[in-house]
Amino acid sequence: MDREAQAITVAVCDASEISRVGITRSLARHGLDVVAEAGDHTDALRLARSGQAAVVLVDLGLPPAPGAAFEVVAAANDAGSIAIAVGVDGAPDGLFTALRSGAAGYLTKDLPSSSWAGAIAAALRGETALSRAMTAMLVARFRAGGGVGVPADL
């Protein structure tokens, strides 16, 4: 049975309890099953390394930010999970660093839960989980590099 035929399992790594609860409840309304949560770097690493969730959502503000989040993203990828970075804003530096660290996308907390659910399902299909605004930012940065090469800061 492939991943899409099964319930989508998600883990949430966020230092804010209210964020973890809100994300869990919001995703449940869309049929996604949050199977684990972590509120600190140590627990997030343990969770990511376990491979128990198909998708690991990692808040870029996870202390000690931002390095901890990127370490969790790498651990999730190593365990065979798909890591998606999340954050309060879509600042270019956070987006590009998250993608370079192996995140399959970046979701901001101002997006509706239906967008999160769709992005998570898309990531499981091998697509990049980015809002249209972030995709436009990525394309603009690419174009600024002048030609087909990737800009040095990407």
Side-chain angles (χ1 to χ4, degrees):
M1 185 180 279
D2 68 325
R3 278 186 166 168
E4 280 196 89
Q6 302 171 0
I8 297 174
T9 56
V10 179
V12 179
C13 301
D14 195 309
S16 168
E17 178 186 12
I18 198 74
S19 289
R20 291 191 312 271
V21 169
I23 292 167
T24 298
R25 288 185 180 172
S26 294
L27 293 179
R29 290 196 319 251
H30 297 283
L32 283 76
D33 185 18
V34 175
V35 296
E37 297 177 17
D40 63 42
H41 178 244
T42 302
D43 288 344
L45 271 177
R46 186 177 308 116
L47 187 155
R49 289 175 178 147
S50 76
Q52 73 185 87
V55 175
V56 179
L57 302 175
V58 185
D59 186 88
L60 290 186
L62 189 69
F70 304 133
E71 188 178 0
V72 174
V73 165
N77 288 334
D78 289 346
S81 298
I82 294 170
I84 299 174
V86 303
V88 175
D89 63 29
D93 289 342
L95 166 64
F96 298 131
T97 305
L99 294 175
R100 275 195 303 270
S101 73
Y106 185 95
L107 302 172
T108 55
K109 293 181 180 179
D110 63 342
L111 292 171
S113 60
S114 60
S115 293
W116 280 49
I120 290 167
L124 285 167
R125 293 190 303 268
E127 299 171 23
T128 302
L130 294 173
S131 69
R132 290 176 189 238
M134 291 192 146
T135 301
M137 189 180 350
L138 187 63
V139 169
R141 180 68 67 96
F142 178 78
R143 287 180 178 155
V148 296
V150 177
D153 64 340
L154 275 183

